[in-house]
Amino acid sequence: MSIKKVKVIFRFFLYLWGVGLSVNSLYAQNVIPVPVKIEHGEGVFILSEKTAIHMPLKGEEARLWENYLRALPIRLHEGKGGGNAITLLIVEDNILSNSPESYTLSVTPQRILIRASSGAGLFYGMQTLWQLAEPSGDGYVIPTVEIEDAPRFAYRGFMLDVSRHFFPKEFIKKQIDALSFYKINRLHLHLTDAAGWRIEIKKYPLLTEIGAWRTEANWKKWWNGDRKYLREDNPEASGGYYTQEDIRELVDYARERYVTIIPEIEMPAHSEEVFVAYPQLSCSGEPYKNADFCVGNEETFAFLEDVLSEVMELFPSEYIHIGGDEAGKMAWKTCPKCQKRMKDEGLSNVDELQGYLIRRVGEYLNAHGRKMLGWDEILQGGLTADATIMAWRNEDEGISAVKSGKQVIMAPGKYCYVDAYQDAPYSQPEAIGGYLPLRKVYAYNPVPDTLTEKQAELIVGVQANLWTEYIPTPEQVEYMMYPRVLALAEVGWSAPERKSWTDFHARALKAVDDLRSKGYHPFELKNEIGSRPEARDTSKHLALGKRVIYNAPYHEAYPAKGDVSLTDGVHGDWTYSDGAWQGFISKDRLDVTIDLENVNPIHSISADFMQVVGAEVYLPVSIVISISDDGVHFTELENQSITLDMERAIRFESVSWKGEAKGRYIRYQARASKEHGGWVFTDEIVVK
Ligand code: ACM
């Protein structure tokens, strides 16, 4: 060992001593997801260019590992497992829990030994090793540990929408590096949608000559604008796609890191871009008219099978995702071909017509040795095909799928949609809405308590989804992904009893620094603002627990806690869907009377409102607050107008009256703008 290195290591120990930490507690903070079992020992292993690596691997595994080792930040030479060596051993049986991804990692000051029954297990042992390693001088120091580890779920996924905004191949590789570092093993690419078709299909070149290019680079501008497509060779065209060569390169790159790329080809909806290229596949037969494929047309099936055939050629993934979400199905109701199909097949409604398409496509995939994966709407219309359900609308969709015997990947919006704001919206770049802080992703348990052990086995995994409508740049993709995807990684890998929010939060803070040092652009967790201040405590006021009379109803989709909601002392957080905000869409929007039971002196009356332009939730434009002794004759206290500012994507406002008054009944009315319509949301009427 060089003098320099000895000095560095000495300084390192001095540092640890100085801050009163043991080596082990410092290092253990680095590992995400937290392993099943860690036992700490004494001393450290010094990893340097002198360290030998001994890998008695064969065939494909040996080739993958040679590629992988070339990409490491330090050159390791091949040698026998003598002094200062890392040995990677394939063993016959899984280390733990029947999972081929399980591994053991044993570090002593003399040697490192990783054992697993598969290359994936060795790879994960190696990721844990790198997370434990602290740079020191020309190499790394690694604490003495014994680790046994295995994943909770076989499927640990992340979805990236490359349609709304296209992201280049090299950027996808960079994310595969990070995802695999945190033991995520599936990358689902949402390759097709109205905003752009992103994969070359040889048999249908117009998909990428036209369907991949649009008039505006920015999705929001395009969607709120002309929604038109341009030819690839038009200098004004914005977009892009992966050639088949690119896809092969990505698939290989991912495979070397034990990540399977799952392609998604959307059907029957979200397909406007297809009909600009091939209008005959829609019910109208014209471009710019439909979003759904015509299910009555045999050519639709020929097209889908041809496309899927090329897709299967490119992607070895067992799962092929066929979308299936949010079909409008309107044109099907009057399309002669669709109507004929329904008659011929004895289908009684358009849900069953969707079911027909899903079944046929599923059978095609099955016949080619693949499994169909689809969003939870594929259960509508009686799903008979063998399929795995990706539950996104809420957990209940996953639960009903499990109860009908289907395998499920849980990705409910409430916990897994990382396109939502991760901090106070006013502090963040514009996002689609919602509020999903790191803590909430971390709190997710993909196996609901209501399931039996047998049913729980049908939940094969969990996935975070990043839709990119409001995410125009690669930097912003990373900002939305990290560190929330790390929380998802721990949800997917770690045993529930090993999870601890406080502990994870400390590790995530370190991981954010680590990601930044590697050139990623994570959210700065240490500056997190957190929940809406009003939402942190319940408030005490005169109307607390008092009866609310609804002169206009709240909407059944957003009842919050029902009739008690506006006087329960509970304020909502940064999203209207958190169960504390009540939603109004009837003609009169908010119109309630609160009965205080006695005549009281009153000094202030206020309510909070929110605006989420993308969700058509707006501030009210007029507020009337009045008071009465008898509930019949009201005196107006306040009549306010509010000017809507549609440029403010997210806005919270408190609208109040202050003064001196007396009364028993308080009436609060809030009207929507006639021009914009939309929802009004409020969470509490505070009377003091
Ligand atoms: C989805 O978010 N529409 C699957």
Side-chain angles (χ1 to χ4, degrees), residues 43-55:
V44 294
F45 179 92
I46 312 285
L47 195 150
S48 71
E49 300 222 341
K50 298 213 178 64
T51 303
I53 187 144
H54 177 51
M55 303 185 301

Side-chain angles (χ1 to χ4, degrees), residues 178-250:
L179 293 170
S180 61
F181 190 57
Y182 297 107
K183 304 188 176 80
I184 284 182
N185 63 1
R186 300 288 189 282
L187 173 62
H188 162 183
L189 292 178
H190 182 73
L191 288 166
T192 73
D193 210 301
W197 182 282
R198 306 298 183 202
I199 174 172
E200 178 189 21
I201 299 295
K202 302 273 192 205
K203 193 157 182 183
Y204 298 94
L206 296 182
L207 288 171
T208 43
E209 282 171 28
I210 300 176
W213 303 92
R214 59 184 195 228
T215 47
E216 283 287 351
N218 184 287
W219 178 88
K220 185 180 166 188
K221 264 190 165 167
W222 179 74
W223 194 250
N224 293 332
D226 69 4
R227 299 193 193 181
K228 289 281 197 288
Y229 305 83
L230 293 173
R231 290 195 69 95
E232 183 173 6
D233 55 9
N234 187 318
E236 304 288 308
S238 295
Y241 61 89
Y242 307 111
T243 64
Q244 296 206 345
E245 211 38 57
D246 291 337
I247 295 283
R248 282 193 196 93
E249 198 180 317
L250 281 175

Side-chain angles (χ1 to χ4, degrees), residues 159 164 188 190 193 264 266 270 321 323-326 375-377 390-393 411 413 417 419 465 467 469:
M159 184 214 77
R164 271 48 175 266
H188 162 183
H190 182 73
D193 210 301
E264 179 186 349
E266 263 280 13
H270 286 277
H321 202 304
D325 59 320
E326 299 181 310
W375 300 114
D376 54 56
E377 290 97 322
M390 194 166 265
W392 72 277
R393 287 177 296 172
Y417 269 41
D419 53 345
N465 292 334
W467 302 99
E469 286 93 336

Side-chain angles (χ1 to χ4, degrees), residues 590-592 605-607 609 623-625 655 667-669 685:
L590 175 67
D591 184 355
V592 291
I605 301 165
S606 71
F609 299 93
I623 298 280
V624 177
I625 303 173
V655 185
R667 187 169 182 191
Y668 202 119
Q669 294 163 276
I685 309 226

